[in-house]
């Protein structure tokens, strides 16, 4: 520190707004927020792929007219895709906003790039809101994928083995992954 300076170099950071939060915690939060944004980007691509693969009045591969999906399934697909996209966009924008706040606060002191003094409650609730948006986006994405499967392979009510197996695997794997994700988010939120 230069002795001629009237203020010590760390005077801005002398009172920690987030007690118990060390400098490495901020970089962990930024990394977690980056992960949320990246995963939401991949899911958003899946939303548009789902929209492009299914068209109304398309014949299913079941070769029975009674198993072809009607316009109601195509409408549900569109609604679920839009709602899913909305949740992913919400989640990504909240995460980007939190990252922006952290990075702007970090820019006030270039010597401490991994430390920002932010309200820990705002950060935790923002991350929880972003995670909730991702979970809801996944739920609606699964519902839309079930509609895509019904349009391409035949309605579930027809009992086609390929349709039933596809939907069963999709629901089991995604719901178990969401259970792990939700558990991890709640654990991190409470500790």
């Amino acid at each position: 520190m230069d002795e001629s300076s009237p203020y010590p170099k760390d005077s801005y950071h002398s009172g920690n707004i987030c007690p118990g939060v060390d400098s490495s915690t901020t970089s962990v939060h930024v990394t977690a927020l980056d992960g949320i944004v990246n995963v939401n980007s991949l899911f958003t691509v899946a939303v548009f792929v789902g929209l492009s693969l299914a068209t109304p009045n398309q014949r299913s591969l079941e070769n029975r007219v009674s198993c072809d999906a009607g316009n109601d399934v195509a409408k549900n697909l569109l609604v679920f895709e839009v709602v899913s996209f909305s949740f992913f966009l919400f989640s990504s924008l909240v995460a980007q906003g939190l990252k922006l706040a952290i990075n702007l606060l970090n820019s006030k002191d270039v010597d401490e790039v991994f430390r920002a003094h932010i309200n820990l409650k705002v950060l935790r609730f923002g991350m929880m809101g972003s995670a909730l948006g991702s979970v809801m986006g996944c739920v609606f994405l699964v519902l839309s994928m079930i509609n895509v499967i019904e349009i391409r392979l035949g309605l579930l009510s027809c009992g086609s083995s390929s349709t039933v197996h596809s939907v069963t695997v999709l629901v089991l794997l995604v719901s178990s992954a969401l259970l792990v994700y939700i558990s991890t988010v709640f654990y991190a939120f409470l500790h």
Side-chain angles (χ1 to χ4, degrees):
M1 180 175 105
D2 183 13
E3 294 300 325
S4 64
S5 175
Y7 300 106
K9 188 174 186 177
D10 288 330
S11 65
Y12 176 76
H13 295 294
S14 61
N16 191 354
I17 296 173
C18 300
V21 177
D22 63 359
S23 61
S24 65
T25 304
T26 302
S27 66
V28 170
H29 287 122
V30 169
T31 303
L33 292 168
D34 274 335
I36 289 173
V37 170
N38 291 337
V39 168
N40 285 348
S41 298
L42 291 174
F43 287 147
T44 301
V45 170
V47 166
F48 289 108
V49 168
L51 283 174
S52 68
L53 289 178
T55 57
N57 301 323
Q58 182 178 0
R59 293 291 316 252
S60 71
L61 298 174
E62 188 58 33
N63 288 331
R64 287 188 287 175
V65 177
S66 61
C67 292
D68 290 344
N71 286 337
D72 57 330
V73 176
K75 286 179 185 177
N76 284 341
L77 169 65
L78 184 61
V79 168
F80 291 149
E81 294 280 338
V82 169
V83 172
S84 175
F85 175 74
S86 300
F87 275 116
F88 287 133
L89 187 60
F90 166 81
S91 175
S92 294
L93 289 174
V94 170
Q96 273 309 113
L98 290 172
K99 274 181 48 182
L100 182 63
I102 290 170
N103 288 331
L104 286 175
L105 288 169
N106 279 342
S107 69
K108 290 182 180 179
D109 188 0
V110 294
D111 292 332
E112 296 188 22
V113 282
F114 295 113
R115 186 167 141 194
H117 297 290
I118 57 174
N119 187 329
L120 189 56
K121 286 184 180 181
V122 170
L123 179 64
R124 288 173 70 184
F125 281 108
M127 290 183 80
M128 181 63 82
S130 185
L132 180 64
S134 293
V135 168
M136 293 304 296
C138 285
V139 168
F140 283 100
L141 183 59
V142 167
L143 292 173
S144 68
M145 290 308 298
I146 290 171
N147 287 327
V148 170
I149 292 169
E150 285 187 315
I151 290 171
R152 302 291 269 175
L153 298 178
L155 294 173
L156 275 170
S157 59
C158 284
S160 167
S161 62
S162 57
T163 303
V164 171
H165 289 133
S166 298
V167 169
T168 302
V169 168
L170 176 71
V171 169
L172 285 176
L173 289 178
V174 173
S175 57
S176 60
L178 282 176
L179 185 64
V180 170
Y181 181 73
I182 291 168
S183 301
T184 306
V185 167
F186 275 117
Y187 178 79
F189 183 74
L190 297 174
H191 292 91

